[in-house]
């Protein structure tokens, strides 16, 4: 009887592992395809990319696609089905949002330091009302983060732990921005450093936080970074120095946050032996 139970647990563990990778693979494939389709459709909608890029809703559509055949697991992940380690105290929401402002500030200072011209774009000079842009940017950022930080990162955390899952999601998140790779290799490298570092920062800060709070904090962080870059840095021009400064700034802030939280965390618990429903 004991041997049979051990065999059943082993089979369940294998099924759980396969389920995690299968669900993650479906999510990633749909996120890429949906983003491409939405980007191709945007010119015909009349919606300005200055307001919001429709590609941002690709990850949200991917979550919906996974929910069709893994409804219970999707609901658990979005509600915060994975818990932080006992004794761990993730960074507070105010510190996380403040980190977004610090990233922008360091990016601007770095651009000046290397002889660049970090420019300020007055909100009134934009083609659309800044309030409209800010609200639309928050909606778009949440469209991304419901997929990356509220679904895929908690899913992979089950098997990889917080750090490895955050790095994995950061690389995928960066690769998902396909047009970046049409730029110079150094530009693309700086962007990948930025997405990976921000993913590690978010994954650590939001570990154990679920539901709407997780989505709003991740979306708020994302929105503040986007708005800061829009107003203070011309990193989308294809110029390499601003993007490298941005990537290094993200790395510095993520490292500082890791050092700040190092003494506040207990060791992560071992991964569960089974993962039924995935």
């Amino acid at each position: 009887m004991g041997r049979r139970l051990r065999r059943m647990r082993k089979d369940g563990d294998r099924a759980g592992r396969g389920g995690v990778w299968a669900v993650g693979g479906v999510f990633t494939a749909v996120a890429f395809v949906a983003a491409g389709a939405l980007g191709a459709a945007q010119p015909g909608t009349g919606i300005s990319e200055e307001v919001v890029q429709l590609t941002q809703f690709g990850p949200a559509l991917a979550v919906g696609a996974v929910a069709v055949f893994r409804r219970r697991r999707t609901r658990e992940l979005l509600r915060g089905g994975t818990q932080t380690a006992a004794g761990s105290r993730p960074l507070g929401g105010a510190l996380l949002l403040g980190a977004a402002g610090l990233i922008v500030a360091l990016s601007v200072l770095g651009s000046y330091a290397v002889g660049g011209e970090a420019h300020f774009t007055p909100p009134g000079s934009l083609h659309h009302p800044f309030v409209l842009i800010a609200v639309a940017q928050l909606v778009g950022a949440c469209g991304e983060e419901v997929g990356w930080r509220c679904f895929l990162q908690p899913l992979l955390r089950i098997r990889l732990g917080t750090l490895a899952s955050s790095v994995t999601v950061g690389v995928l998140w960066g690769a998902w921005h396909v047009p970046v790779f049409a730029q110079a290799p150094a530009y693309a490298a700086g962007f990948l450093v930025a997405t990976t570092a921000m993913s590690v920062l978010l994954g650590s800060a939001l570990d154990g936080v679920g539901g709407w709070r997780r989505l709003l904090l991740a979306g708020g962080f994302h929105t503040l970074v986007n708005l800061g870059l829009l107003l203070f840095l011309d990193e989308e021009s294809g110029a390499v120095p601003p993007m490298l400064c941005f990537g290094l700034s993200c790395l510095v802030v993520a490292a500082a946050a890791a050092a700040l939280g190092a003494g506040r965390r207990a060791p992560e618990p071992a991964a569960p032996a089974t993962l039924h429903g995935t």
Side-chain angles (χ1 to χ4, degrees):
M1 185 68 176
R3 185 177 300 174
R4 183 180 178 184
L5 288 174
R6 285 194 297 272
R7 187 183 303 115
M8 289 174 65
R9 282 196 292 267
K10 184 181 293 185
D11 291 342
D13 183 56
R14 289 173 180 171
R17 288 177 183 272
V20 167
W21 305 127
V23 171
V26 170
F27 167 85
T28 302
V30 175
F32 272 79
V33 172
L38 290 170
Q42 177 146 4
T45 66
I47 300 175
S48 171
E49 291 190 1
E50 181 184 72
V51 176
V52 67
Q53 295 183 355
L54 296 184
T55 55
Q56 291 183 283
F57 298 100
L61 292 178
V63 172
V66 172
V68 171
F69 65 96
R70 287 290 187 272
R71 182 176 303 176
R72 187 178 67 177
R73 175 53 59 184
T74 300
R75 184 166 56 246
E76 289 175 354
L77 291 170
L78 294 181
R79 286 178 176 176
T82 57
Q83 298 298 319
T84 189
S88 173
R89 294 184 296 166
L91 294 178
L95 286 176
L96 177 62
L97 298 180
L102 182 58
I103 286 173
V104 174
L106 290 178
S107 299
V108 173
L109 292 174
S111 185
Y112 274 121
V114 298
E117 294 185 2
H119 70 289
F120 172 65
T121 301
S125 69
L126 298 171
H127 295 95
H128 300 83
F130 183 71
V131 172
L132 171 63
I133 293 174
V135 172
Q137 286 289 323
L138 177 60
V139 173
C142 288
E144 282 193 49
E145 297 302 341
V146 72
W148 301 120
R149 240 61 59 182
C150 297
F151 179 83
L152 186 60
Q153 198 277 337
L155 174 70
L156 297 185
R157 183 192 181 280
I158 294 170
R159 290 300 167 195
L160 301 179
T162 300
L163 178 60
S165 63
S166 299
V167 170
T168 302
V169 171
V171 172
L172 289 173
W173 182 30
W176 176 76
H177 292 79
V178 176
V180 168
F181 298 95
Q183 306 294 338
Y187 183 95
F191 185 79
L192 280 175
V193 169
T195 59
T196 304
M198 286 190 290
S199 185
V200 169
L201 173 62
L202 286 165
S204 175
L206 299 177
D207 192 24
V209 178
W212 285 103
R213 185 165 179 261
R214 184 183 184 94
L215 177 60
L216 290 177
L217 285 174
F221 173 90
H222 193 149
T223 300
L224 290 176
V225 170
N226 283 350
L227 291 176
L229 296 180
L230 173 67
L231 296 178
F232 295 101
L233 203 67
D234 188 23
E235 94 292 349
E236 291 191 358
S237 65
V240 171
M243 181 55 74
L244 289 179
C245 290
F246 176 51
L248 290 175
S249 298
C250 292
L251 188 60
V252 168
V253 173
L260 180 63
R264 300 153 59 100
R265 295 186 178 276
E268 290 196 22
T274 60
L275 185 63
H276 299 297
T278 60

